[in-house]
Amino acid sequence: MLTRKIYLVLIALSILFACNKDKKIDKAGPKMQDFIRNISTYARSIDNDFIVIPQNGIELAHLNVNQDEELDDYFLSFIDGFGMEELFYNGSAVEDDGRLATARKVVQSKKILVADYTNTSAGYDEAKSKNSAEGFLSFPRTENNYDYQYIPNEIQNENSNDILTLADAQNYLYLISTNNYTSKTSFLNAIAATNFDAVIIDLFYNDDAFTSSEINQLKSKANGGKRLVIAYMSIGSAEKYRYYWKWHYARQHPVWIKRRYEGYKDEFWVNYWHKDWQQIIYGNNESYTKKILDAGFDGAYLDNVEAYYFLYRKN
């Protein structure tokens, strides 16, 4: 039987552990805000018009990453919009989890890009309708396009306008998988033949980075209007197939690796505040962001920013 003294020590330790975990949670969100701000500052020091769009984690738009507080206008000044997956549909209809209320506030000054996932034609149409009513850009997906590998046949609000900023965009294409294309040329030609206002693609075709001349080919819609080309980049997770991944990581993970990303065998959540990971992402000529800039992209689509949530709330 535990003595009273030992029992009290164990209680104290458990409280201390809980408090330390709460502190980590409280700090994790602001650290992601800092990370995004620093990426934006670095990129815009090279290209003043560089577009920055975090995906998911829209709570970051609030002061202290707290949905009960006001919007953080300082943080919002470093980004141009927010991407959101499965806001209204995740296969079936989604119950409002508080994200919609924040999106309604953010859309007053920034674009909201929503990629819903629905497995019915009725849900597909409903997703478009709901997003349109809110003033959000919509890219609904069906089962065969879950991984963003197809170009839809229709374009919502198709136009021939010159799209010079994200605020000008009335629709977008999200195409980060190249599995359905036999060559880089066929991939580029398929996009070039469309009239989407903004295009989100990967920096690489397989392991081959796009060049500035190739990206410039995409900056005109088929109808002659100008458009934006945005590069996908994961900043909250590391991917084993990226150029920065070293063979010896299989034996000994670097200190910035946190744990495996459940459901994605080649991905790991990262300690994104670690300087070694941040140097991979921005701040030097070999960084991911610099490669995006060198390729002539108009901006970056920052994925897995919700790492601040999963690192400490789902252990």
Side-chain angles (χ1 to χ4, degrees):
M1 180 180 293
L2 292 175
T3 66
R4 177 175 174 78
K5 185 175 182 180
I6 294 175
Y7 178 71
L8 292 175
V9 168
L10 291 175
I11 290 177
L13 288 173
S14 66
I15 293 173
L16 179 62
F17 175 79
C19 290
N20 286 338
K21 186 174 181 181
D22 287 342
K23 288 179 181 178
K24 287 182 177 180
I25 292 172
D26 290 342
K27 292 180 179 179
K31 284 182 178 179
M32 179 56 80
Q33 288 179 320
D34 289 343
F35 191 20
I36 294 170
R37 283 197 301 262
N38 290 340
I39 293 169
S40 178
T41 298
Y42 169 72
R44 291 176 180 178
S45 71
I46 299 170
D47 176 0
N48 188 56
D49 297 320
F50 194 79
I51 295 166
V52 177
I53 312 168
Q55 175 170 262
N56 299 324
I58 198 168
E59 298 86 0
L60 294 166
H62 289 274
L63 290 167
N64 300 312
V65 197
N66 184 340
Q67 288 179 297
D68 293 330
E69 296 200 28
E70 298 298 318
L71 291 183
D72 188 337
D73 291 332
Y74 179 65
F75 172 74
L76 290 173
S77 70
F78 288 87
I79 67 172
D80 299 87
F82 254 105
M84 302 180 72
E85 291 183 295
E86 296 154 12
L87 176 61
F88 293 110
Y89 283 89
N90 179 4
S92 57
V94 174
E95 289 188 22
D96 182 18
D97 56 4
R99 293 185 299 158
L100 179 56
T102 296
R104 284 171 170 164
K105 296 176 183 178
V106 174
V107 78
Q108 302 304 314
S109 61
K110 307 291 177 179
K111 282 290 184 180
I112 300 292
L113 290 69
V114 179
D116 282 304
Y117 169 61
T118 174
N119 52 19
T120 67
S121 58
Y124 185 91
D125 292 337
E126 188 72 14
K128 290 190 299 181
S129 176
K130 287 183 176 181
N131 281 290
S132 178
E134 298 289 351
F136 307 154
L137 302 188
S138 179
F139 189 79
R141 298 162 291 147
T142 51
E143 186 174 4
N144 68 342
N145 200 27
Y146 182 80
D147 294 321
Y148 307 103
Q149 57 188 348
Y150 288 105
I151 299 176
N153 293 325
E154 64 171 344
I155 302 177
Q156 298 176 57
N157 302 315
E158 187 172 356
N159 64 84
S160 59
N161 301 341
D162 286 340
I163 308 303
L164 304 179
T165 69
L166 188 62
D168 298 330
Q170 299 182 48
N171 54 69
Y172 73 107
L173 170 65
Y174 198 166
L175 186 70
I176 56 173
S177 171
T178 60
N179 290 343
N180 290 310
Y181 300 90
T182 57
S183 67
K184 183 194 276 190
T185 298
S186 65
F187 179 76
L188 292 170
N189 287 344
I191 297 171
T194 71
N195 291 321
F196 286 96
D197 288 350
V199 174
I200 301 168
I201 61 173
D202 202 276
L203 169 62
F204 300 90
Y205 180 89
N206 295 333
D207 295 326
D208 188 11
F210 290 107
T211 66
S212 58
S213 65
E214 289 168 336
I215 295 304
N216 282 334
Q217 294 173 28
L218 301 182
K219 291 191 176 183
S220 293
K221 296 182 277 191
N223 59 27
K226 295 180 180 179
R227 69 164 150 224
L228 303 170
V229 185
I230 311 295
Y232 171 94
M233 175 173 63
S234 178
I235 67 169
S237 71
E239 300 155 314
K240 290 173 64 175
Y241 48 87
R242 297 299 185 183
Y243 71 91
Y244 55 74
W245 193 268
K246 310 301 182 185
W247 66 268
H248 60 269
Y249 290 175
R251 289 187 289 107
Q252 183 175 5
H253 287 164
V255 294
W256 42 263
I257 290 289
K258 179 67 174 180
R259 66 164 182 271
R260 286 191 176 276
Y261 190 149
E262 186 177 348
Y264 295 86
K265 63 183 180 65
D266 292 327
E267 283 192 61
F268 299 82
W269 293 111
V270 297
N271 295 315
Y272 49 84
W273 53 85
H274 196 280
K275 63 180 180 61
D276 291 348
W277 174 250
Q278 296 204 356
Q279 286 174 357
I280 288 171
I281 297 299
Y282 78 94
N284 59 85
N285 287 337
E286 297 303 314
S287 67
Y288 208 123
T289 301
K290 186 58 162 61
K291 292 179 185 295
I292 289 172
L293 286 156
D294 290 344
F297 283 90
D298 296 300
Y301 198 72
L302 310 181
D303 195 16
N304 291 317
V305 303
E306 75 275 24
Y308 72 88
Y309 180 89
F310 288 104
L311 286 179
Y312 294 111
R313 288 177 170 82
K314 291 197 175 184
N315 286 322

